[in-house]
Each structure stands twice: as C-alpha cells, then as structure tokens.
Amino acid sequence: MDRQQILDLYHWLPDFCFRHPGKGEVPTAVVGAIHPRGDGEREVRACADCLIAMEDIRREDATRTGNDYEPGHLGEVLR
C-alpha cells in the first residue's frame, strides 16, 4: 500500500498531534488511548507524518518477527 492508501484507512479530525502540539490544530487520527488517574480515557492523536512513521514501525516489526502486517489498526486493541 502507498502512503495515501494507509492514511485513507483512518478517520481524520482537526486536533493536536501528540508529538507536535506546537503545530497547532492539524488533521489527526486516533493512534491510542491513555487513562489518566481519575480522569477516564483520553485519545492520543497523531498527524499524518507521525501516523505513517508508526505504521512503518509496525510493518518492520512484523517483518522481523515473521508476523502478518495489516495497516490501519493503530489505536485498536488487537487480540
């Protein structure tokens, strides 16, 4: 898959990237969740460049460990 095909697997909304909050609001997708003590659940959102970097890490890890890689699942709990 190319970059745009991977990005199209996610739902994008304007928000702040967890790695680049200084950029201000940019299109972001959910890539995880945190659970601050006594404050429920908070989404962790990433910009396109960060999301692709994270997908690359997942792909490389799958290749290294001999597992299948399927893009589009950042932020999901895989079972």
Side-chain angles (χ1 to χ4, degrees), residues 47-60:
C47 66
D49 289 340
C50 291
L51 184 138
I52 291 298
M54 294 170 75
E55 284 285 2
D56 287 344
I57 290 167
R58 289 183 63 240
R59 180 183 39 78
E60 291 165 4

Side-chain angles (χ1 to χ4, degrees), residues 5-63:
Q5 290 172 315
I6 293 171
L7 295 175
D8 288 345
L9 297 172
Y10 291 90
H11 179 72
W12 297 89
L13 293 173
D15 209 329
F16 295 87
C17 175
F18 80 103
R19 291 179 70 191
H20 303 106
K23 287 184 178 181
E25 281 193 345
V26 295
T28 63
V30 175
V31 295
I34 60 173
H35 301 89
R37 188 177 310 176
D39 199 16
E41 181 176 277
R42 300 272 178 106
E43 292 179 337
V44 176
R45 302 187 69 87
C47 66
D49 289 340
C50 291
L51 184 138
I52 291 298
M54 294 170 75
E55 284 285 2
D56 287 344
I57 290 167
R58 289 183 63 240
R59 180 183 39 78
E60 291 165 4
D61 184 57
T63 299

